[in-house]
Amino acid sequence: MSGAREDILGRVERILGTRPTSAAEAYAAIERPYRRRHHDDGILELFAERVADYRATVRRVTEAGLPDAVADALTGSRHGVPPGLPAAWLAATPPSRLVHDPAVADLDGLDGVVTGCAVAIAETGTIVLDHGPAQGVRALGLVPDRHLVVVAAGQVAADVPEALERLDPARPLTFVSGPSATSDIELNRVEGVHGPRVLHVLLVVDG
Amino acid sequence: MPTYLGMPPFPKAARDAVADRRLRANLAHATGTIRDRRLAAVAELDDWAALREAGRRIKDHTLEHLDHYLRLLEERVTEAGGVVHWARDADEANRIVVDLVKATGQTEVVKVKSMATQEIGLNEALAADGVTAHETDLAELIVQLGDDRPSHILVPAIHRNRAEIRDLFRRRMPGAPPDLSDEPAELAEAARRHLRAKFLSARVAVSGVNFAVAETGTLVVLESEGNGRMCLTLPETLISVMGIEKVLPAWRDLEVFLQLLPRSSTAERMNPYTSTWTGVTPGDGPGDFHLVLLDNGRTATLADEVGRQALRCIRCSACLNVCPVYARAGGHAYGSPYPGPIGAILSPQIRGIGSPVDASLPYASSLCGACFEACPVAIDLPEVLVHLRARAVENGPRHPLVDTAMAAAGWTLRSPGRLALAQRVASSSRRLVGRRGRIRRLPGPLRAWTDTRDAPVPPPESFRAWWRRTDGGRRP
Ligand code: SF4
């Protein structure tokens, strides 16, 4: 199909002709008059509020209170846990309720999963997973019906531009804003079409 | 892009749709609801105008250097372990995808909602080679089960109400409970159960692409239901089809479009799920990734300096929801997967103004300007419509436009502001048409009227009086 490639690129080149500046120079000259942040203070409150707007559950906990909060939040008997999740988070959860590093084929039988995240965005109430050790493969947070995410206060960015700066595009990324939802039937919002029906967030704040 | 088989031109199709009361009620409710929510979502960001302007500039810049960014994208995707294919037209793209699927030995694929694959008729091409494509977006599934066509970019089954969907599921969805009610939650649950087995067993997925970042080779898909994530991560082979205009220069550009798209589209601060991937990631997701870069009339569109701006479109559907003609005519009247104002400017450009339906599309507007105001990348849809009318007059087949043009005119003329706008836009169209020495025409939608009548043309100033006296031309 190299013929198609040469044809398409050749057409584009003929149409556009010689340009006065290089792509890099022209790109650098693009003006961006928008804000890099919409909020200065109250970022954590805003994040909690905006996540709740999606009908997800948010609880603020201290680091010391986290293990109990995790144990409380888990409903059901089998929860998937990625290999790199800090052991301390699970200190109050009976090991019999946990399935460590489950195979993708077994995910459909789980009640829920517990993961960390990479970044969160206050303005939009978004949590971003980069599928590092505390988050597991992409399928883990997708197939089971309940997703419990632990977000550290320091991971919360005020706005979209700041969050993207903190992320590595070479990694697969999943941006999660509330539970799975559809509005395809007369624009009525229904949660849990294919992804998790319940999103539960524990926001770890100290002091 | 093939015209839908047997598709009548816009005026005829629109007349039938306008006569369908239920369709109009469904549409009016849906577009009105999204429109109001969108205004609220946009008002939350006090720098919306600046974001929109940046979006416009980034897209224009990308189009201006499209060859550079396509080469860069190809290089980066390849480095990251993906395989890039190029397709001049629909047949070539379909051939590539069909061959890739057949090479896996599979006879079923799961699909993420994608305008590009509808544009090329991929499902039909796969079926012709014995491969069944399963649409996994709920609305697309509704459309597919009903042997129907999508009528909205974002909510393809917007023309169906809950009772119709229930009846459809009971009749056509294997395993649907016979006592299924028309509660949206129950209907969604039936779809979830129906599709879950498919997700877990599928080996091949086909997706579209919302954005492709040249600098990093990263592909981006926005969705709500999680069916996208299922398709993008569970199968072994992933084939993504994208129009060449979807490329963005750099990772940071997403900061603009991830703000513009969800608010314009579903009126949310952010859509529930956005997935990005760069080539393949060992141990996570498909081991085999193919990207098909599709021209199919896009370079022809690029060649038109006025019409080119249609390639900025990020398929948010905001222009549909504010369009008075769309709200009455419905999406099917536009005869392509791209309905509404964007369809009216995109389809005739990527298909060429060769058929009656494409020649009629530039008239499917009242030129009220609402679409331009709603568009997050500031595409001047009225300007392109007027420009294409001139082209249709010069190159297109003759077509009967009177009824719809007059119906649209009726709407335009009920508001003096709209008439003024139509006249403003029309003056530029007269200039365009006049350049080739053609007769002067009435402003805006009324011009079609003068196309098909040898009556003396009343001057625009007295037209409103004439309109009132004759009840919009219905009385002599
Ligand atoms: S033309 Fe503008 S408003 Fe319409 S779908 Fe495209 S981006 Fe959205």
Side-chain angles (χ1 to χ4, degrees):
Chain A
M1 284 301 144
S2 71
R5 178 184 189 276
E6 303 324 323
D7 269 9
I8 295 169
L9 288 172
R11 289 204 60 168
V12 173
E13 273 157 16
R14 276 196 302 282
I15 291 162
L16 297 173
T18 325
R19 278 134 286 181
T21 48
S22 73
E25 274 172 79
Y27 181 78
I30 296 174
E31 281 171 52
R32 293 170 187 262
Y34 54 87
R35 290 174 187 274
R36 302 208 58 79
R37 320 174 50 129
H38 291 96
H39 311 277
D40 289 322
D41 334 292
I43 303 295
L44 296 182
E45 291 70 24
L46 181 71
F47 172 70
E49 214 176 89
R50 298 257 151 124
V51 171
D53 275 355
Y54 297 120
R55 291 187 241 175
T57 323
V58 196
R59 255 188 81 191
R60 291 171 69 120
V61 297
T62 61
E63 191 145 2
L66 180 63
D68 283 336
V70 169
D72 280 355
L74 296 182
T75 48
S77 54
R78 287 167 56 78
H79 298 92
V81 176
L85 199 80
W89 295 4
L90 303 169
T93 307
S96 61
R97 297 176 67 194
L98 301 173
V99 181
H100 288 273
D101 201 9
V104 170
D106 297 333
L107 294 177
D108 201 28
L110 298 178
D111 296 306
V113 297
V114 189
T115 76
C117 71
V119 168
I121 310 171
E123 163 60 36
T124 58
T126 302
I127 292 157
V128 190
L129 310 179
D130 69 2
H131 305 284
Q135 301 158 53
V137 296
R138 285 173 279 175
L140 181 67
L142 171 64
V143 179
D145 212 19
R146 308 172 71 89
H147 187 181
L148 174 65
V149 190
V150 178
V151 181
Q155 291 179 313
V156 184
D159 228 311
V160 175
E162 187 188 340
L164 288 173
E165 274 168 26
R166 294 196 202 175
L167 291 162
D168 175 3
R171 303 191 64 89
L173 302 173
T174 308
F175 294 63
V176 176
S177 307
S180 157
T182 183
S183 299
D184 284 343
I185 303 165
E186 293 183 15
L187 298 181
N188 287 287
R189 191 177 170 96
V190 176
E191 264 120 45
V193 199
H194 303 300
R197 223 178 292 252
V198 179
L199 177 69
H200 198 111
V201 179
L202 294 177
L203 177 58
V204 186
V205 197
D206 255 349
Chain B
M1 173 168 54
T3 311
Y4 285 140
L5 198 64
M7 190 69 208
F10 185 84
K12 162 85 174 71
R15 196 162 50 229
D16 296 347
V18 169
D20 183 340
R21 285 168 148 270
R22 185 167 60 180
L23 173 71
R24 269 171 68 196
N26 289 2
L27 273 175
H29 166 70
T31 55
T33 309
I34 313 182
R35 193 166 60 219
D36 295 345
R37 286 189 202 152
R38 180 191 150 270
L39 282 175
V42 164
E44 256 185 25
L45 298 185
D46 58 4
D47 59 341
W48 183 258
L51 280 164
R52 183 179 186 240
E53 184 55 22
R56 183 182 73 77
R57 286 182 192 157
I58 293 166
K59 280 282 186 178
D60 275 351
H61 163 81
T62 314
L63 292 172
E64 184 68 24
H65 297 272
L66 191 59
D67 44 350
H68 169 78
Y69 289 118
L70 289 174
R71 287 179 206 277
L72 187 59
L73 177 69
E74 177 185 50
E75 191 182 313
R76 293 296 148 86
V77 169
T78 309
E79 277 167 13
V83 182
V84 177
H85 309 259
W86 300 71
R88 278 169 286 222
D89 57 23
D91 287 345
E92 209 160 58
N94 286 332
R95 184 84 274 155
I96 292 166
V97 179
V98 169
D99 287 348
L100 287 170
V101 174
K102 297 203 88 172
T104 66
Q106 297 295 306
T107 55
E108 294 191 29
V109 302
V110 285
K111 277 191 72 204
V112 196
K113 181 171 168 311
S114 137
M115 306 294 303
T117 62
Q118 270 168 26
E119 177 188 319
I120 60 176
L122 178 64
N123 291 7
E124 293 75 14
L126 286 166
D129 264 281
V131 177
T132 309
H134 300 284
E135 293 291 349
T136 64
D137 171 80
L138 179 53
E140 289 290 352
L141 175 68
I142 294 167
V143 168
Q144 193 178 38
L145 289 176
D147 293 323
D148 199 357
R149 291 191 306 258
S151 62
H152 190 279
I153 293 178
L154 176 76
V155 207
I158 199 168
H159 56 293
R160 298 279 197 175
N161 62 31
R162 60 176 80 188
E164 294 175 273
I165 296 168
R166 175 205 56 207
D167 294 346
L168 194 59
F169 280 15
R170 282 190 192 165
R171 266 187 290 121
R172 304 293 298 273
M173 184 189 282
D179 59 345
L180 186 66
S181 84
D182 65 1
E183 269 308 302
E186 246 189 74
L187 295 170
E189 178 65 23
R192 178 185 174 103
R193 270 194 253 115
H194 170 68
L195 284 173
R196 187 145 279 223
K198 299 227 182 312
F199 287 133
L200 295 173
S201 63
R203 300 281 174 77
V204 184
V206 175
S207 87
V209 170
N210 287 101
F211 305 104
V213 181
E215 171 196 45
T216 58
T218 307
L219 284 299
V220 185
V221 165
L222 282 71
E223 50 131 359
S224 291
E225 297 174 5
N227 64 308
R229 292 174 63 191
M230 296 272 182
C231 293
L232 298 172
T233 58
L234 295 179
E236 289 158 10
T237 300
L238 170 62
I239 305 164
S240 300
V241 182
M242 67 172 255
I244 51 174
E245 82 283 14
K246 298 258 164 161
V247 65
L248 290 177
W251 176 249
R252 73 175 292 207
D253 298 322
L254 286 175
E255 73 191 21
V256 175
F257 295 98
L258 288 186
Q259 295 192 73
L260 288 176
L261 183 51
R263 286 180 204 258
S264 300
S265 179
T266 50
E268 291 163 301
R269 296 185 181 112
M270 197 67 101
N271 50 294
Y273 300 130
T274 297
S275 300
T276 79
W277 72 99
T278 304
V280 295
T281 305
D284 187 357
D288 200 11
F289 169 57
H290 298 267
L291 178 64
V292 181
L293 297 174
L294 177 70
D295 180 343
N296 203 35
R298 285 160 176 79
T299 49
T301 307
L302 187 71
D304 183 321
E305 281 180 24
V306 177
R308 176 188 294 180
Q309 54 185 308
L311 298 177
R312 293 206 295 258
C313 176
I314 56 173
R315 311 279 189 263
C316 72
S317 75
C319 58
L320 276 60
N321 301 327
V322 298
C323 177
V325 176
Y326 173 85
R328 285 162 181 76
H332 291 156
Y334 295 80
S336 94
Y338 303 105
I342 182 59
I345 66 168
L346 198 59
S347 307
Q349 295 203 85
I350 64 183
R351 293 196 294 221
I353 307 179
S355 70
V357 59
D358 284 312
S360 69
L361 281 174
Y363 293 88
S365 167
S366 65
L367 297 182
C368 70
C371 49
F372 170 53
E373 264 154 58
C375 179
V377 285
I379 297 172
D380 193 338
L381 294 121
E383 183 194 17
V384 181
L385 283 164
V386 167
H387 171 74
L388 292 177
R389 283 178 192 188
R391 270 178 55 188
V393 168
E394 284 166 14
N395 312 322
R398 305 290 303 171
H399 44 79
L401 291 166
V402 183
D403 293 350
T404 303
M406 293 314 268
W411 187 87
T412 308
L413 293 165
R414 276 198 295 278
S415 148
R418 289 179 202 134
L419 178 61
L421 185 72
Q423 283 170 338
R424 177 181 69 73
V425 178
S427 63
S428 67
S429 87
R430 278 204 300 277
R431 183 171 48 74
L432 279 166
V433 174
R435 217 171 38 198
R436 293 275 184 102
R438 296 195 177 257
I439 58 155
R440 299 218 149 192
R441 288 163 201 280
L442 272 175
L446 309 175
R447 227 180 57 218
W449 188 83
T450 58
D451 273 354
T452 48
R453 271 177 181 75
D454 285 318
V457 178
E461 302 79 56
S462 66
F463 193 84
R464 277 158 70 197
W466 172 86
W467 182 265
R468 237 177 277 122
R469 176 174 57 76
T470 61
D471 189 25
R474 276 187 283 274
R475 284 194 310 263

